[in-house]
Amino acid sequence: MPIAKTRWLANLGYATALTLALASCNEQAPQQQKAAADAKPQVSAVTLRPQSVTITAEVPGRTAASLIAEVRPQVGGIIRARNFKEGSEVNAGDVLYEIEPSPYQAAFDSSVATLQKAEGAVPSAQAKVDRYQGLTSQAAVSKQDLDDARSTLAQALADVASARAALETARINLGYTKIRAPIGGRIDASAVTVGALVTAEQTTALATINQLDPINIDVTQSSTNLLALRKSIADGRIKTTGDNVSVNVKLEDGSKYDKPGKFEFLESSVSQTLGTVTARATFPNPDRLLLPGMYVRATIEEGVAPNSFLVPQRAVTRDTKGDPTAMFVSTDGKVQRRTLSVQRSIGNSWLVAGGIDDGDRVIVEGIQRVRDGQDVKVDDVTLDDATGEIKQADAAEAAPVKEAANTPVTK
């Protein structure tokens, strides 16, 4: 057979096979498109339930010692001894410094002698008055002599009182030669050494004591947030927890301080430059982990919002207007887009004020594959509050099937 004819037959066979393959594809395409149209996209949804949500505010703050005392001498003299280790813990009443007591001891002894001398003159003066009173009645002593005797007795008693006061002053000054700790706490570095000369009530402190247990934390909050909180309380959306407001602290390295504190007070004025209000909380600090001047972030429990809904943040998006929206699954299995009224973030969720009913299911996975009004297959899941990890929901947690197909009104 000629070569040209052989090639022609081969090309004819290839063209026939290609035509049959295209015809088969054209027959299968409508079936595949129909099957794809019938398939419902799979989404994961969380069933929302009303709950009481603790409202907290995270604000910056600084630690401060609960008590601060600057140690100063109340008498002058030479420092004879220092009885503490710098940076150690001291108790109230501990002797920190000793001033040379010799001159004050001598003054005390002199005051004792003066008091004894004054007391020695009293019995003689008293006896003279008693004797003159009897002689005056017999006209043996003039009334003027009796008045002079009484004056001498009064002067002797006054000398005793003066000497006793001088003795007490000398005793106090002698006691001041031992400089004691006015409060308990951690003492800082000493400003003087043994042999230094100090004076009474000098401006330079010998040392400073800070009481670190408990320790204060001063936090600042904007007056705008404070007004919004009070309005929510007045409207009944938030209920206060009473006087025992709990406060938690996060340290500079991001770790959480394991001991909760107690809210103490809120200042009555607003800073004119910053527009903030200062509040104070007290924390136990037995391990001295918190030191004065540390930067912290405090979480204050402002109140409780009853019957509230928490929507996972991963389920909320923004529309072209910037309003928060979320995809919900209705009772008939269709997707609904709703605009939410978001108040604030609570952990990994948003606190929503309206637009949700008990048992509504919000889509948390597969949002990109669905559109409003589309039929979907729903896989009921739950989210871990701490990590946001998706977990399969138990049968009891799955959304119940409602008889009515009515959906909540979008707010």
Side-chain angles (χ1 to χ4, degrees):
M1 181 180 295
I3 296 175
K5 186 175 182 181
T6 303
R7 291 179 177 177
W8 178 81
L9 291 176
N11 292 335
L12 180 61
Y14 175 76
T16 303
L18 181 60
T19 303
L20 293 176
L22 291 175
S24 177
C25 291
N26 291 333
E27 292 177 357
Q28 294 178 359
Q31 298 177 356
Q32 293 177 352
Q33 293 175 357
K34 182 179 180 181
D38 293 339
K40 298 180 181 179
Q42 185 80 22
V43 296
S44 299
V46 172
T47 302
L48 302 179
R49 302 291 184 188
Q51 56 185 302
S52 294
V53 180
T54 301
I55 304 301
T56 61
E58 185 172 323
V59 291
R62 290 279 182 184
T63 57
S66 54
L67 291 177
I68 301 175
E70 293 182 339
V71 180
R72 288 186 174 88
Q74 293 178 283
V75 294
I78 302 296
I79 298 294
R80 187 177 69 172
R82 191 193 75 190
N83 302 325
F84 66 91
K85 182 180 179 181
E86 295 171 317
S88 64
E89 294 285 333
V90 297
N91 298 318
D94 288 352
V95 178
L96 304 178
Y97 298 92
E98 293 182 26
I99 297 176
E100 178 57 47
S102 300
Y104 300 99
Q105 183 66 51
F108 177 80
D109 295 340
S110 177
S111 298
V112 171
T114 302
L115 176 61
Q116 291 174 348
K117 180 180 178 180
E119 290 176 340
V122 173
S124 176
Q126 183 66 53
K128 190 174 182 179
V129 170
D130 295 340
R131 186 169 60 254
Y132 278 13
Q133 284 178 344
L135 294 175
T136 302
S137 61
Q138 300 175 6
V141 175
S142 66
K143 188 176 181 181
Q144 181 63 44
D145 291 338
L146 177 60
D147 292 341
D148 292 341
R150 287 175 176 173
S151 177
T152 302
L153 176 60
Q155 183 66 41
L157 293 175
D159 291 341
V160 170
S162 177
R164 186 175 288 115
L167 177 61
E168 181 65 17
T169 301
R171 185 191 65 79
I172 292 173
N173 290 335
L174 181 60
Y176 283 158
T177 60
K178 292 183 178 180
I179 304 176
R180 301 179 181 273
I183 62 172
R186 179 170 295 181
I187 190 167
D188 293 338
S190 175
V192 297
T193 60
V194 174
L197 175 64
V198 296
T199 58
E201 300 178 359
Q202 64 184 33
T203 57
T204 303
L206 303 184
T208 302
I209 302 174
N210 294 284
Q211 188 177 91
L212 304 181
D213 185 23
I215 194 168
N216 295 333
I217 295 182
D218 296 329
V219 298
T220 56
Q221 188 176 19
S222 69
S223 57
T224 303
N225 292 341
L226 185 62
L227 290 174
L229 171 64
R230 291 182 174 178
K231 187 176 185 301
S232 299
I233 295 174
D235 295 341
R237 297 195 303 269
I238 296 178
K239 295 182 179 180
T240 58
T241 55
D243 296 333
N244 297 325
V245 178
S246 178
V247 184
N248 294 291
V249 161
K250 187 181 294 184
L251 304 179
E252 291 175 310
D253 59 356
S255 62
K256 183 179 179 181
Y257 188 61
D258 58 351
K259 295 176 178 58
K262 180 182 178 182
F263 183 82
E264 289 294 331
F265 71 91
L266 183 71
E267 285 191 348
S268 58
S269 60
V270 178
S271 172
Q272 297 182 4
T273 56
L274 302 177
T276 57
V277 182
T278 300
R280 172 167 291 178
T282 302
F283 284 77
N285 190 29
D287 300 329
R288 308 301 190 266
L289 179 62
L290 298 177
L291 298 176
M294 293 178 64
Y295 174 81
V296 297
R297 294 198 65 85
T299 302
I300 303 176
E301 290 187 6
E302 296 180 338
V304 177
N307 299 322
S308 300
F309 291 93
L310 291 179
V311 178
Q313 291 185 0
R314 64 187 300 165
V316 179
T317 59
R318 298 278 177 175
D319 58 15
T320 56
K321 298 180 180 179
D323 296 327
T325 62
M327 293 289 194
F328 289 80
V329 179
S330 63
T331 54
D332 56 357
K334 293 184 179 296
V335 176
Q336 280 187 339
R337 180 186 295 274
R338 302 184 197 170
T339 301
L340 305 179
S341 177
V342 173
Q343 289 185 330
R344 62 172 70 195
S345 63
I346 305 291
N348 295 320
S349 303
W350 292 110
L351 178 64
V352 178
I356 302 176
D357 284 340
D358 184 13
D360 285 349
R361 294 180 293 176
V362 61
I363 300 175
V364 296
E365 192 174 48
I367 301 175
Q368 299 82 0
R369 301 192 298 267
V370 298
R371 64 183 182 277
D372 193 12
Q374 185 177 7
D375 291 330
V376 292
K377 292 182 179 179
V378 183
D379 185 15
D380 291 304
V381 298
T382 60
L383 293 182
D384 187 91
D385 294 336
T387 63
E389 180 183 359
I390 295 179
K391 299 179 180 180
Q392 290 295 324
D394 297 333
E397 297 177 349
V401 178
K402 301 179 182 178
E403 294 181 359
N406 297 329
T407 57
V409 178
T410 304
K411 184 177 179 181

